[in-house]
Amino acid sequence: MKLRADIVEIYREVHSWVGILTALFLFVAFYAGAISMFEPAVQNWLSVESHLPAPVSLERTPELMDKAFAAFPEARKHYMIVLNVSRTQPARMVWSKKADPHGNVPKLFVGAALDQNGALVTEKRPSSEAAYFIDVLHQRVGLPFSEDVAMPIMGVVALAYAVALVSGVIAFLPALKKSLFAVRLDGAKRRAWLDLHNVFGFFSLPFHIVMAVTSVVFAFHEQIYDVQKMLFHKADLPAHVRSRDEGVKNAGTPLEPAVLVAALARQAPGFVPNTLQYAVRGDGVLTLRVAGYDRRFPMRGPNVGFAMMDPLTGHIISTDYLPGHQPTGFAVLTSFFSLHFGSYGGAPVRWGYLVLGFSGAFLFYTGNQLWIMARRRRERASGLEFDTRGTRILSSLTIGCCTGCMTGIAAVLTVAAFWPVFLPYMSIATLYYVIFALCVLLACLLPSRRKAVALFTIAGISNALLATVALTREWHLHDGTSVAVATVALLLAAGLLLVPLKMRRLA
């Protein structure tokens, strides 16, 4: 494709400058996001074993609910019936003062069961915060700020990311035919980085476009809903935007969970419910949200879809987020969002997204390295023997932030897996950011030729340690998750430890 050289140069400059301004944020978002593809599995893996009696059958759940409400009246305000118990959700009934915003198990909850004599047994147990922290790190592009502050910044980064994608494609088009499959690892270091950057970027372009556009929507969804409220009539709005009028206010006794599940199966065959989530709002309205999945259709959430039901009649009153039963507009939107979450196609798609996430992080690292090498070449051509302050700072931040992210996440998972004591969210966040800051500090203090070797070695060793801990847990737990964690960690460790060797070879 023929483009004027001056136009290509403009787009190349735009791509370079926008890229270096956003690359470090995007590296954290993609690396943490790749791991978050398996957030429920990791959370289940890190949760401590419960000592509650075996969960009662669904038919005996009303007996359990009556005894729990008698002993803990506050549980009526918000409680959950777990249909598919697991290590993370070991009790048939759980409740908490504050619900998990992701629609899964509360982070701090009370589980209830009945012993062999029918007596109520409760257990206070938190689920691990490590997997949740990594997901939050992904959403907030690594920033240690509150959601209100971090999300708008993430939206701006996503917009700039889209600009970098468009400008990068235009800059690459003239050389597309001769450079697409040319990966020259032997020879000049910069040429090798450029070839890898072009190949990874071009072949994962559709994935990156989806990530950029959907991230903008996630960042500004509150503003989008506010506009919806102003532009559309109440009856035309989606359920989550309308006034709170879906539910029944003290008009009778809710149906038993087994009856509700049967009613849902008749109305939405193929939808597999995981939890029944009851809540009494401030206006006294009892609501019921059923979380579950249908593998035949995309899902609106990362792992589940939802159905709003009338707890007194068992009728579905909102299908906005119910897979396979959504209105056309919502189905189209859900299909697009599912491309971001990877909530379709089962395990193969999730593993594919894991690889794409790691390769995306690598893409942003190589982009910064290309800019640094080009700047150094110009500086040497002008007679400078040492890096300028700007080049030195960007080089240190690139190596320090990228290795700090990888080392910090490995350390969080290692500590959470090795130490059975519950670690609160703030302790996990502190551990990550202290390691992250130390890596950045080392990158700033170490000589230019040693910083990459030292920090990539540290990151490789940290992942090797995580693999060792995971294999140790496999010895005791005999679950497939430990093997999967160990395999991914070993592959990362091998790749990270090979980087210093490759750098010496290409130098």
Side-chain angles (χ1 to χ4, degrees):
M1 182 176 182
K2 294 292 185 180
L3 290 175
R4 283 168 41 191
D6 58 331
I7 295 177
V8 173
E9 185 61 28
I10 291 173
Y11 279 105
R12 184 178 289 113
E13 286 294 316
V14 171
H15 179 73
S16 297
W17 281 104
V18 174
I20 64 171
L21 291 174
T22 59
L24 299 183
F25 297 108
L26 293 171
F27 181 95
V28 177
F30 270 68
Y31 190 86
I35 297 172
S36 294
M37 290 304 303
F38 295 93
E39 180 186 358
V42 173
Q43 182 177 337
N44 191 59
W45 179 61
L46 295 175
S47 296
V48 297
E49 186 176 359
S50 173
H51 299 290
L52 285 171
V56 298
S57 64
L58 202 57
E59 289 70 24
R60 289 192 63 192
T61 300
E63 177 187 354
L64 171 64
M65 295 167 62
D66 291 339
K67 292 182 179 180
F69 292 149
F72 303 92
E74 69 278 7
R76 292 181 179 273
K77 296 181 180 179
H78 189 284
Y79 63 97
M80 182 166 64
I81 302 300
V82 180
L83 304 177
N84 300 314
V85 295
S86 64
R87 190 180 180 90
T88 303
Q89 300 171 315
R92 179 68 69 192
M93 179 182 179
V94 298
W95 65 87
S96 173
K97 293 182 179 179
K98 183 178 181 181
D100 175 17
H102 290 266
N104 300 316
V105 65
K107 297 304 176 182
L108 294 171
F109 66 93
V110 179
L114 299 178
D115 63 15
Q116 294 180 347
N117 299 320
L120 180 68
V121 180
T122 61
E123 178 184 66
K124 294 182 180 179
R125 60 187 305 271
S127 57
S128 174
E129 298 276 14
Y132 175 65
F133 168 77
I134 294 173
D135 185 42
V136 171
L137 192 71
H138 155 70
Q139 295 175 29
R140 301 178 187 177
V141 292
L143 295 172
F145 303 143
S146 65
E147 182 175 353
D148 293 339
V149 176
M151 294 305 285
I153 298 175
M154 185 272 282
V156 173
V157 170
L159 286 170
Y161 171 33
V163 172
L165 289 174
V166 174
S167 57
V169 170
I170 295 175
F172 181 60
L173 283 178
L176 177 63
K177 184 176 181 180
K178 66 178 181 179
S179 301
L180 183 57
F181 296 101
V183 181
R184 297 157 291 186
L185 298 179
D186 295 325
K189 179 180 177 181
R190 183 178 182 277
R191 187 175 63 186
W193 283 122
L194 179 61
D195 289 344
L196 289 171
H197 183 82
N198 289 339
V199 168
F200 276 94
F202 185 82
F203 285 104
S204 60
L205 181 61
F207 174 77
H208 285 279
I209 291 174
V210 170
M211 294 300 109
V213 176
T214 53
S215 295
V216 173
V217 176
F218 297 154
F220 301 115
H221 68 277
E222 291 295 340
Q223 291 83 353
I224 293 173
Y225 293 157
D226 289 340
V227 172
Q228 283 182 295
K229 290 179 182 179
M230 292 187 294
L231 295 180
F232 298 102
H233 188 270
K234 175 181 173 181
D236 298 326
L237 291 175
H240 62 284
V241 184
R242 299 182 205 135
S243 299
R244 297 180 172 183
D245 56 2
E246 292 177 345
V248 180
K249 186 174 182 179
N250 301 327
T253 303
L255 296 177
E256 296 182 358
V259 177
L260 289 169
V261 171
L264 178 64
R266 289 193 298 270
Q267 298 172 79
F271 181 72
V272 181
N274 288 329
T275 58
L276 307 178
Q277 302 168 4
Y278 297 83
V280 177
R281 297 197 302 254
D283 55 4
V285 173
L286 177 65
T287 63
L288 171 59
R289 185 174 73 162
V290 183
Y293 62 92
D294 188 335
R295 300 195 187 281
R296 300 172 300 171
F297 302 99
M299 292 178 287
R300 173 61 175 80
N303 306 291
V304 292
F306 302 98
M308 295 297 298
M309 295 188 71
D310 185 335
L312 305 186
T313 65
H315 294 151
I316 296 176
I317 56 179
S318 175
T319 61
D320 287 346
Y321 294 144
L322 180 59
H325 298 268
Q326 297 175 288
T328 302
F330 264 79
V332 172
L333 187 62
T334 293
S335 298
F336 197 63
F337 276 27
S338 68
L339 291 174
H340 184 100
F341 294 131
S343 55
Y344 62 95
V349 171
R350 293 195 173 276
W351 281 106
Y353 270 51
L354 178 80
V355 174
L356 286 170
F358 286 149
S359 65
F362 177 76
L363 179 72
F364 304 126
Y365 176 79
T366 57
N368 269 25
Q369 288 294 341
L370 284 170
W371 191 90
I372 292 168
M373 284 183 281
R375 187 179 175 95
R376 281 174 175 162
R377 188 174 67 252
R378 290 194 299 268
E379 290 171 354
R380 299 300 178 267
S382 65
L384 294 175
E385 297 182 6
F386 302 99
D387 292 344
T388 60
R389 179 184 300 176
T391 304
R392 188 168 60 252
I393 290 174
L394 181 61
S395 176
S396 298
L397 287 176
T398 298
I399 295 174
C401 291
C402 294
T403 57
C405 170
M406 295 183 287
T407 305
I409 288 178
V412 164
L413 293 175
T414 300
V415 171
F418 182 75
W419 198 1
V421 178
F422 170 71
L423 291 175
Y425 180 89
M426 287 307 300
S427 297
I428 294 174
T430 300
L431 172 64
Y432 171 83
Y433 284 113
V434 166
I435 293 175
F436 183 88
L438 287 175
C439 288
V440 174
L441 181 61
L442 281 174
C444 294
L445 295 178
L446 290 174
S448 177
R449 294 184 178 180
R450 293 180 54 191
K451 64 178 67 175
V453 173
L455 288 170
F456 274 98
T457 300
I458 292 173
I461 292 174
S462 66
N463 277 277
L465 183 60
L466 171 60
T468 302
V469 172
L471 290 175
T472 303
R473 284 176 66 89
E474 170 64 21
W475 182 266
H476 298 287
L477 298 178
H478 303 291
D479 64 340
T481 305
S482 297
V483 175
V485 171
T487 301
V488 173
L490 283 174
L491 291 174
L492 287 172
L496 291 168
L497 292 173
L498 281 174
V499 169
L501 299 177
K502 282 288 185 182
M503 291 180 67
R504 292 194 184 99
R505 181 183 175 186
L506 294 173

